[in-house]
Amino acid sequence: MRWILDACTLIYLAKARIFRKFIELTQFPVVIDSTVYEEVVIRGKHEEHKDAFEIEKLLKEFMIPVISVDVSKEIYLFRDAGETSCYILAKDHGICITSDERAYKKFINFELNTIRLDTFFFHAYQKRILKKNEFMNILEQLETVNATKPKSILFFLEKLNQ
């Protein structure tokens, strides 16, 4: 099993400054595909997005493999090459992490192992790997970069109080 990050997840983890915490909590290897790398790092650096330089550094620091995937045969299923590659990699013993609502719904419809980023951290809290205040801080950080919604936070708050 492995965790597959799509472009939005990679960007959200970096912008929220929780990439390191995410890596600490993963029990499986983390991978991205070459399409996501191209979109986030190569194009991001070309367009001078500060996050792209930070993400490149984090990927090197944690030795995250970049896997080349041919999306040409299944791109018609999705509008986005990154989502398509996440789908392909997750079909082959993986769990795709996405915060993109449209992609998440498609992945679920294809019965793909997928999880939202905020839910990933909630599961860590449920397993007692994260303390309540750590989880709440992470939710706050995710909300500041639009990686979670107030509706989701309310859902998690209700779960915490049960």
Side-chain angles (χ1 to χ4, degrees):
M1 193 61 72
R2 60 190 171 182
W3 296 107
I4 299 117
L5 306 181
D6 68 356
C8 71
T9 300
L10 194 53
I11 292 166
Y12 288 148
L13 285 168
K15 282 187 175 202
R17 304 224 178 273
I18 56 173
F19 191 90
R20 283 180 171 76
K21 179 53 94 176
F22 170 78
I23 294 297
E24 279 177 32
L25 298 172
T26 58
Q27 69 271 30
F28 306 123
V30 175
V31 301
I32 64 168
D33 78 284
S34 54
T35 306
V36 168
Y37 186 83
E38 171 75 27
E39 178 183 340
V40 175
V41 177
I42 304 299
R43 273 192 276 155
K45 284 171 58 177
H46 179 73
E47 295 169 8
E48 298 182 18
H49 295 291
K50 285 188 246 178
D51 297 338
F53 295 91
E54 177 66 18
I55 290 168
E56 181 181 44
K57 190 174 106 186
L58 289 165
L59 293 173
K60 285 179 183 175
E61 178 181 341
F62 292 102
M63 296 180 282
I64 306 297
V66 178
I67 299 171
S68 197
V69 176
D70 177 11
V71 298
S72 62
K73 292 179 183 166
E74 298 179 270
I75 190 81
Y76 71 93
L77 298 171
F78 303 90
R79 291 185 299 197
D80 182 81
E83 291 171 11
T84 305
S85 63
C86 199
Y87 165 77
I88 292 167
L89 289 172
K91 282 193 320 184
D92 184 28
H93 305 296
I95 303 169
C96 186
I97 302 181
T98 187
S99 293
D100 180 314
E101 194 62 33
R102 186 181 51 79
Y104 180 81
K105 286 177 182 176
K106 278 190 175 185
F107 293 157
I108 293 297
N109 286 336
F110 283 109
E111 298 179 357
L112 191 71
N113 285 331
T114 189
I115 190 170
R116 290 182 177 97
L117 189 54
D118 52 9
T119 305
F120 170 87
F121 288 105
F122 181 66
H123 286 223
Y125 165 76
Q126 287 180 310
K127 293 175 187 173
R128 301 186 192 276
I129 301 169
L130 272 180
K131 295 178 184 172
K132 183 177 180 178
N133 66 329
E134 289 178 300
F135 174 62
M136 294 306 298
N137 287 337
I138 288 170
L139 277 183
E140 190 176 298
Q141 290 168 283
L142 289 173
E143 185 181 30
T144 64
V145 298
N146 298 316
T148 192
K149 299 175 183 165
K151 176 177 83 173
S152 298
I153 293 172
L154 203 58
F155 170 80
F156 293 124
L157 287 174
E158 288 173 4
K159 290 288 186 184
L160 292 175
N161 290 327
Q162 289 177 353

